[in-house]
Amino acid sequence: MVGLLLTLALTTTAGQLPVPSAPGELLGETVELTGDVRVETEPGVLVVARKNAVLRSGTSVLRADEISYNHTTQVAEARGNVLLVMRGLVGFAEHLTLDRQTRTLTAENANGEGAAFVQKENVSPEALAGLETAEQLAKAGKNAFSFTTRGLHIREDGAYELEGSSFTPCDCDVLTPTWRISTSSAKLTPNESATLTLPAVYVYGVPVLLLPWVYLPLSQRASGLLLPEVTGSGLSGFQLDQPLFLTLGRSYDLTLSPGYAFGTEPLEPTQGSLGVKGPRLSTEFRYVPLADPEGNPAMEGRLWTQLLYDLKPERDPLNYNVLAPGAPQRGLRGWGLLEHRQKLGNGFFARADVKLFSDGFLFADTTTNSAFARSYYYVPSTATVYHRGPDDYAGLALAYRQDIRWGYSLFGAGDVARPTVFQELPTLRYALPTRPLLGPLNGGVEVELSWLSPLDQLLGDEGTDGTYWPLLPDSDGTQGNGRFDPGERQARTRLDVMPRVNATFDLGGVLRLTPYLAVRESLYLYEVTRETNHRGYGMVGAYMDTELSRVFGEGANAIRHSILPSVEVRAVPHVFGQGSPQIYDEVDAAVPANGFFQGQVALRQKLLARAGPTGTRELGRLDVVQGVDFLERRLGETSGRILAVLGPVTAEARGRLDLFTPDTEERLTQLSARIGWSIIQNRLSVSAGYERALASSEQVRRPIDMLLPPPLAPQVPDPGTAVSCSSDAAFANKPIDRVLLGAETRLPFGLNLGYSAEVQRKDPARCDVAELFSQTLSVSFSPSCDCWRLNAWTRVGPGTTFDGGLSVTILNLGTFGR
């Protein structure tokens, strides 16, 4: 962008005169000055135009109540309702003076402060030159950035140097911006960057942030320093990172973030603790090099790593509260993340989601809610190549699971005893979804070939009890002895085939009947013993449902009430071959050895109202489902859900009750409720919720994935030791009632406030202990133009644990911080 260099000449209202050529001439050779009144106060030197005065040079236009130009000094002066359009730059002032020789501009508004200028995008110079009012110019195109200043110098390279200015780097209201950055001096390079000295961020005239210096990109891809990231937590204390954004061409960029975690000290110096302390470097590399014919990304991804030198003392890998012998510094640690998506063509795709930690404790050291972190078994990584056709799917998948319950190194010595994790190396899948076969028949098939094995051996080496527990080895010495013993798992190849067919019949226009049949056959090859086995069964069932509905009212006020009863019966009469295989995953655990004969009766109701010309919205729902076990001649689980929307209030509750399954200690398997009230629509809302949490997340995850060693031993207090209600051992494996409270307000000027709290009531049958478990406060601000957002939050947990963060989201650049 060239600056505001107006080449002016003495003109009459009826024509143009040539302007002498000079070094630095930027706007052409002629100008045109018009006005209702023209006065030539000094012939050949000074000309003044008044009333609707307009000075033009190409697509550059200066409008004002009065414009004068001195041909000798090459100084132009405009007074009253001044509007300037210059190659995409628009100015609004009451008084403007331009010195062409020194390339400087002074301007002020009606109250004597700096005048407003804005850089326009998505509008042509010719279109801007044709606009005559401030309102038209303010609304035209898109505002790349705006600033106010009393003095402006235009450099030879087209950059602007400002003194005592304010700056708004996005598409906000030009004349009355809701926020600004005031600075003692600034350098603005259009389409590149802004460098600000002593910037102070003001929101509605209130200072909220002061910095010594800042660099802001003014294009979507400009290299430079980003805002510092400031965080804090009870684990690692105060943490500071300074990101540096580097563009590596149109399709690649790199963010380097050196930082430091100041850490926290353990309560006892002789004990270990979670958290990190020391210098670190984060690197995020992003790429989108390829596009498909439609312009969508054909390959994209990111590689994100963090290396840190942890100054805290090393811990025992089996217990992070115990220091290792000699307790050296933990030293170099880190984690890496890879996300990759690619279209290979002809229906083939590739995808990778990989996350690895240098040691198992690093996940808990960097995740603030340590109790939540320790409840996870593993961090999964997957890589897949697949073909997706219109009627089928075929894929090859690799899956790696890193056990994070212990502090073992990811690439540790092979002689260190540790629990063995079984990996998918690999899994081949083919699926043919349900499709028409013959007449009313539909069918499909799924085929899976999987090899499950540890990386470095062919057996789990858990010992004869089948449980690898490093703190309590088997008494017979079989755990970790390097030999296969009965009861241990071994590497296994399985071929699983499951075809299925179904048909749908209309019974008199009232009922719909869908019988189905499926057969599953699994072939096993065990790698250590070289044994082969199989397991097969057939499943037969039928699903019958109908729908009764009625519409009340007409037009936009119409409400539709639907009743949907259904009945399902399914059975596996007999299991052939190995009825109870050693359980590695959900396929092995799908059907008990003696089969099953089950049924389910459901009654679902819902109320729908119109939403717009074609849409609907749900006003209410009531679902009741009852299971039946015919083989054991008892009722199964009862579940229900209720939902009601009454104006601004939404309420929902869910529950599952198992009264008849034998040898079950906890009958209420799920209970939750939530109510929300929008007091002022889109401005103020409150909510409350209740949830009954049962057992631990480890036990919840077990039915999903069992490739890791069996779950941890239950924490059963020693019967010979007295346990008080103030001890955590009193609540081990006991239900917890959780009450969740929340409130949120959105103020008209862009400020949002949120508060949430969690109250826990532990083991109400015995100790009945209630505590305020956590509180979270969040604050965010975004101007009306939504070109940036500032978020700050803090969470206070049980005891002395806390966490907090600050992030800035900038349009076209993304989010920095957390």
Side-chain angles (χ1 to χ4, degrees), residues 11 21 87 101 116 208 308 340-341 365 379 552 585 664 666 685 710 717 725 760 783 812:
T11 64
S21 162
R87 296 187 181 180
Q101 289 183 331
V208 297
L308 62 99
H340 180 84
R341 311 285 184 274
D365 283 335
V379 175
F552 300 89
D585 59 14
T664 299
E666 189 60 53
S685 62
C725 288
Q760 290 191 357
N812 296 327

Side-chain angles (χ1 to χ4, degrees), residues 483-565:
R483 301 189 307 270
F484 176 75
D485 298 291
E488 296 180 338
R489 294 182 302 170
Q490 52 182 309
R492 185 193 74 181
T493 300
R494 183 188 63 206
L495 175 62
D496 186 69
V497 182
M498 184 175 170
R500 60 191 180 277
V501 293
N502 66 67
T504 300
F505 301 96
D506 184 12
L507 304 181
V510 178
L511 296 174
R512 182 173 56 185
L513 176 64
T514 305
Y516 57 85
L517 173 66
V519 177
R520 171 168 251 161
E521 175 65 28
S522 301
L523 304 176
Y524 300 93
L525 170 62
Y526 296 96
E527 301 289 342
V528 176
T529 61
R530 310 306 298 176
E531 295 178 339
T532 59
N533 214 323
H534 84 101
R535 183 179 191 231
Y537 55 85
M539 183 170 65
V540 59
Y543 182 83
M544 184 168 61
D545 67 326
T546 188
E547 179 177 358
L548 307 174
S549 63
R550 182 178 177 182
V551 178
F552 300 89
E554 296 181 353
N557 298 321
I559 296 177
R560 186 172 185 263
H561 177 218
S562 300
I563 303 176
L564 299 91

Side-chain angles (χ1 to χ4, degrees), residues 7 34 143 193 452 481 561 611 736 792:
T7 304
T34 62
N143 303 331
S193 63
L452 305 179
N481 61 6
H561 177 218
I736 298 176

Side-chain angles (χ1 to χ4, degrees), residues 8 154 322 375 377 393 416 506 528 534 576 644 682 775 777:
L8 304 176
I154 302 100
V322 178
S375 69
Y377 252 6
Y393 169 90
V416 177
D506 184 12
V528 176
H534 84 101
F576 300 92
N682 297 326
Q775 300 180 81
L777 176 65

